[in-house]
Amino acid sequence: MAVTALQGTGYAVAVVWALSALLTARARERNPQWQVSCGALAAAVALSATRTAAGASQSSHDLLFAAATLASTLVIALWIHLLLAIPDGCLGSRPRQLAAAAGYLLAACGAAISLAAGEDGLSSAVFAICVPTAVVLALPAVRIRYAAAPSRDRERLAWTGIGAVLAATVAIAAWVLNLLVAWPAPVAPVAAAATVLVPLGLIAGDVPQFGKFGGRLLVNVLAVAGYTVAVAVVYIIVILGLGNPPQDSSDHELLGLWMVAAAVGAMGYLPVRERLIRWVTRSVFGARQAPDEVLRTFGSRMTRAISMDELLLQLAESLRKTMNLTSAEVFTGMGDVLERAAAVPETGQDGSENRPTSLVITSRERPVVTRAGISGNAWVSVWLPALLEGRGDCQLRVMPVSHAGQLLGLIVAQRPSSGDAFSAEGDRVLTELARQVGLALHNARLDTALQTTLDELRKQADELRESRARVVASGDAERRRVERNLHDGAQQHLVAMAVNLRLARDILADDPRAATEMLDQLANDIKDTITELRELAHGIYPPLLADRGLGEALRAAANRSPLDVTVHAAGIHRYGPEVEAAIYFCCLEALQNAAKHAAGSLVEVRIWEEEGGLLFSVSDNGPGFTQDQPRSGHGFVNMADRLGSIGGTVRWESVPGGGSQVLGSIPLG
């Protein structure tokens, strides 16, 4: 019994699929091994049953064809299951499981219908229709899994896709060729043989060394497949739809040669087109790129993490290449001076060392320059003559870079005087480019300002946290000091007076005179204790400050100072307790520092209101100090923390040998 071409091809394909299942079983990753193995086995059963049934008795014939039908439909169901389960052989989600179950159910229904109709097996036409339909229906699920898969599974899916796309491309090409030129005939063995590319893709995907090439190769394979389908559709429409199909072998041969020529031309189109465009661009524009190429590339560069200096340098390089310039420069700046931010060639090359690196633009020139459009040598000689220095005889194009009416820079393009004149297209490119650069510079400055503000806020937050920590520590230390002073001073005096009172009571009857002396001593002790408590209270909150205000409290403090202190507090009023306490203790801190570091000097304390704030100053004519010396001192930190807690500020001014001054202010709300 002779084996047909389709049967022989089917056996070969089944063997290849079985071998692929055997080879992928040794891979480290999970794979759809059992689906492939069962599919190969079902295909072999279907082929063997069909071949054996041809020479069997009637009863065996029917039984064998029933087995072939069941095996053929099982191949289709397993094919659907394989597409849903690649690359690891697991269906995973519930919708995939339902889709696979639906595939088996449809296969069973198809087998039942074929058996009920008494057909001899599943026809090749039905098989050829069902398999591609299953592929099309399963594509969305494969695409979703590819998008969500990790990198290694994505590589394996890419190689499987390469095999499937190549198999489909070969099958479509064979069908179109058979339709047009009657070759190859028959098509079914060729289409069946093409399916061996799928298991080969599975095998390649399980080789880690091939993984990194899968994605890029899949892109190229899909492009070729898409072009093949497009060409096939064009040939079918033109030849079969609009013309007459070929009638004899010579027509078939000629059409086949045309199709081969079209395929060769298609494969060489892209590289030839790329080289042709480069040659034509160089011939037309005199450069490797068109002038407006820099516009397309600049926008894409702005989206990348490139510094502004590097971006402007790349811009100058692109301008020089695309516009055939001898030099390209970009100046930037916000004030009266524009600095050269980028230049190609760099300074020192091509005589550019004599060119200015900065331009001074006065308030008279700035509005004119800002509103000016693309300008040449004549305009530059009037408004920006410094640009012509060191350039010699040349052609210039200057385009101001501005945003919202604010001058941000200049773009300067230079050609030799003997070169081609600047074209309207080149001027248009410079104008549009200046607009994009202006927007980029404006955004960069906004980013810088925002970053500066964030840095200042971080610094202020850090200072606030440190100040709060110091305030808490200072409060704890002050409480411990008061507790210690009360324990060591007033408490001891009170305990001693209590003991003396008991003694006076005991001896009052026996020795009245001694008791009277003890009572007199107790009266003196009480006065001393009151004085000590009053002095201790002055360090907490002076009663005089609460009763009479800043002026009287500071004059009393000045009287206690070892220095000659003058207080000027005319015109001030009463303020909140926290404001008065902050200024009072800051002035005391300044007087203590003056007594420590400027002994014998004259000190002047001034307090006044000005522009919604309460200000004070403590000045002395002592030896002075350097400006950075007091910032790390305990006194300056105490004053800064005390005033900062209510929104005030303090600063020190001094020069060595010229005295010192402490200045502070508190806003009055």
Side-chain angles (χ1 to χ4, degrees):
M1 185 184 301
V3 179
T4 64
L6 179 59
Q7 290 175 341
T9 305
Y11 279 119
V13 170
V15 170
V16 174
W17 276 90
L19 288 175
S20 71
L22 181 62
L23 292 175
T24 54
R26 304 181 59 184
R28 290 177 295 180
E29 297 92 358
R30 294 188 60 179
N31 52 70
Q33 180 191 0
W34 75 266
Q35 292 96 331
V36 176
S37 302
C38 291
L41 179 60
V45 169
L47 291 169
S48 300
T50 302
R51 182 172 181 273
T52 306
S57 61
Q58 185 61 37
S59 59
S60 299
H61 176 276
D62 294 339
L63 183 62
L64 289 172
F65 269 115
T69 301
L70 292 173
S72 299
T73 54
L74 181 60
V75 170
I76 298 175
L78 287 170
W79 177 244
I80 297 174
H81 194 155
L82 173 64
L83 290 176
L84 295 173
I86 55 173
D88 56 3
C90 299
L91 291 173
S93 64
R94 185 70 174 175
R96 291 176 182 273
Q97 296 173 359
L98 293 176
Y104 285 105
L105 180 61
L106 290 176
C109 292
I113 293 172
S114 298
L115 292 175
E119 297 179 358
D120 291 341
L122 194 66
S123 66
S124 58
V126 174
F127 194 84
I129 293 173
C130 291
V131 172
T133 303
V135 172
V136 172
L137 294 177
L139 277 179
V142 176
R143 178 67 183 87
I144 293 173
R145 172 161 287 188
Y146 182 82
S151 59
R152 181 68 187 112
D153 285 347
R154 185 173 294 187
E155 293 172 355
R156 299 168 66 200
L157 281 168
W159 277 104
T160 306
I162 290 170
V165 171
L166 287 177
T169 304
V170 171
I172 292 173
W175 174 71
V176 173
L177 287 172
N178 179 268
L179 193 63
L180 295 176
V181 299
W183 179 90
V187 178
V190 178
T195 62
V196 299
L197 295 170
V198 179
L200 293 178
L202 288 171
I203 295 173
D206 285 330
V207 179
Q209 291 78 3
F210 293 167
K212 60 182 179 180
F213 305 108
R216 181 169 298 181
L217 186 58
L218 178 60
V219 171
N220 295 326
V221 168
L222 285 172
V224 171
Y227 186 78
T228 301
V229 172
V231 170
V233 171
V234 170
Y235 268 91
I236 291 173
I237 293 175
V238 172
I239 295 175
L240 298 183
L242 303 179
N244 296 317
Q247 301 299 326
D248 52 28
S249 59
S250 61
D251 291 342
H252 289 163
E253 182 179 354
L254 181 59
L255 181 58
L257 292 175
W258 285 352
M259 296 181 70
V260 171
V264 173
M267 288 187 290
Y269 170 70
L270 289 179
V272 171
R273 176 181 178 274
E274 184 178 350
R275 288 173 173 77
L276 184 61
I277 288 178
R278 285 204 300 263
W279 177 79
V280 172
T281 302
R282 189 181 298 109
S283 301
V284 174
F285 298 108
R288 296 179 60 184
Q289 295 175 323
D292 60 350
E293 181 67 20
V294 67
L295 292 177
R296 292 192 291 268
T297 58
F298 184 77
S300 63
R301 289 170 183 165
M302 282 198 302
T303 62
R304 306 172 193 162
I306 301 178
S307 65
M308 183 55 62
D309 291 340
E310 180 64 23
L311 185 64
L312 294 178
L313 182 60
Q314 293 180 8
L315 167 65
E317 291 175 346
S318 298
L319 272 178
R320 190 186 182 204
K321 292 177 181 178
T322 58
M323 299 185 66
N324 198 21
L325 304 175
T326 56
S327 69
E329 299 166 90
V330 181
F331 290 81
T332 61
M334 286 289 292
D336 292 339
V337 179
L338 298 181
E339 299 289 345
R340 184 165 59 190
V344 178
E346 297 178 357
T347 302
Q349 302 178 14
D350 196 26
S352 59
E353 66 273 6
N354 297 323
R355 299 174 191 169
T357 58
S358 61
L359 299 173
V360 178
I361 300 180
T362 64
S363 57
R364 181 181 70 89
E365 299 162 344
R366 181 172 290 273
V368 178
V369 175
T370 304
R371 291 193 297 268
I374 190 78
S375 306
N377 294 54
W379 183 90
V380 172
S381 63
V382 175
W383 294 103
L384 295 173
L387 268 179
L388 297 174
E389 296 178 4
R391 296 185 185 273
D393 194 11
C394 65
Q395 300 181 65
L396 278 187
R397 277 293 185 272
V398 177
M399 184 61 205
V401 177
S402 61
H403 183 81
Q406 186 178 28
L407 183 65
L408 303 177
L410 295 172
I411 297 177
V412 182
Q414 177 181 335
R415 281 181 183 169
S417 58
S418 58
D420 296 334
F422 284 94
S423 63
E425 175 65 14
D427 290 348
R428 184 192 69 81
V429 170
L430 286 175
T431 302
E432 180 62 23
L433 191 61
R435 186 187 66 79
Q436 294 188 17
V437 173
L439 181 61
L441 289 175
H442 176 70
N443 292 339
R445 285 185 169 86
L446 289 180
D447 291 343
T448 303
L450 178 60
Q451 187 61 46
T452 302
T453 303
L454 290 176
D455 292 341
E456 291 177 354
L457 288 175
R458 293 191 189 99
K459 182 180 178 182
Q460 291 175 2
D462 292 340
E463 291 177 351
L464 181 60
R465 284 193 294 269
E466 294 173 359
S467 175
R468 286 176 175 175
R470 289 194 297 267
V471 168
V472 172
S474 177
D476 292 340
E478 187 66 19
R479 283 193 295 272
R480 288 193 296 270
R481 184 186 69 83
V482 172
E483 181 183 359
R484 184 172 60 252
N485 290 343
L486 287 173
H487 180 272
D488 297 342
Q491 180 178 339
Q492 299 300 325
H493 292 169
L494 292 174
V495 170
M497 284 189 291
V499 173
N500 289 334
L501 280 173
R502 285 195 295 271
L503 290 175
R505 184 192 60 186
D506 294 340
I507 67 174
L508 181 61
D510 299 333
D511 191 354
R513 184 175 179 179
T516 302
E517 292 178 355
M518 291 183 66
L519 291 174
D520 292 339
Q521 181 62 37
L522 285 172
N524 294 330
D525 291 343
I526 290 173
K527 291 179 181 179
D528 294 340
T529 303
I530 292 173
T531 301
E532 184 174 353
L533 289 173
R534 183 179 292 113
E535 291 177 352
L536 182 61
H538 273 290
I540 301 173
Y541 194 89
L544 192 60
L545 178 62
D547 296 338
R548 306 293 298 276
L550 270 172
E552 293 297 331
L554 286 174
R555 289 187 182 95
N559 293 332
R560 296 193 301 269
S561 175
L563 302 177
D564 186 1
V565 181
T566 304
V567 178
H568 300 282
I572 65 171
H573 310 286
R574 295 305 304 270
Y575 308 96
E578 69 280 357
V579 173
E580 292 185 341
I583 292 182
Y584 175 81
F585 285 109
C586 285
C587 291
L588 254 62
E589 189 78 44
L591 290 175
Q592 292 174 6
N593 288 334
K596 184 185 301 182
H597 302 291
S601 62
L602 300 177
V603 181
E604 180 183 26
V605 179
R606 293 182 64 243
I607 304 175
W608 72 100
E609 286 189 27
E610 182 178 308
E611 297 180 354
L614 186 61
L615 289 74
F616 72 91
S617 68
V618 181
S619 309
D620 66 70
N621 60 353
F625 47 78
T626 58
Q627 283 293 100
D628 57 346
Q629 182 178 345
R631 292 193 175 275
S632 58
H634 185 68
F636 181 84
V637 173
N638 283 345
M639 286 190 240
D641 289 346
R642 191 181 292 274
L643 292 176
S645 64
I646 55 175
T649 58
V650 64
R651 72 179 191 275
W652 292 46
E653 295 180 355
S654 179
V655 292
S660 60
Q661 185 178 29
V662 179
L663 297 152
S665 65
I666 297 176
L668 297 177

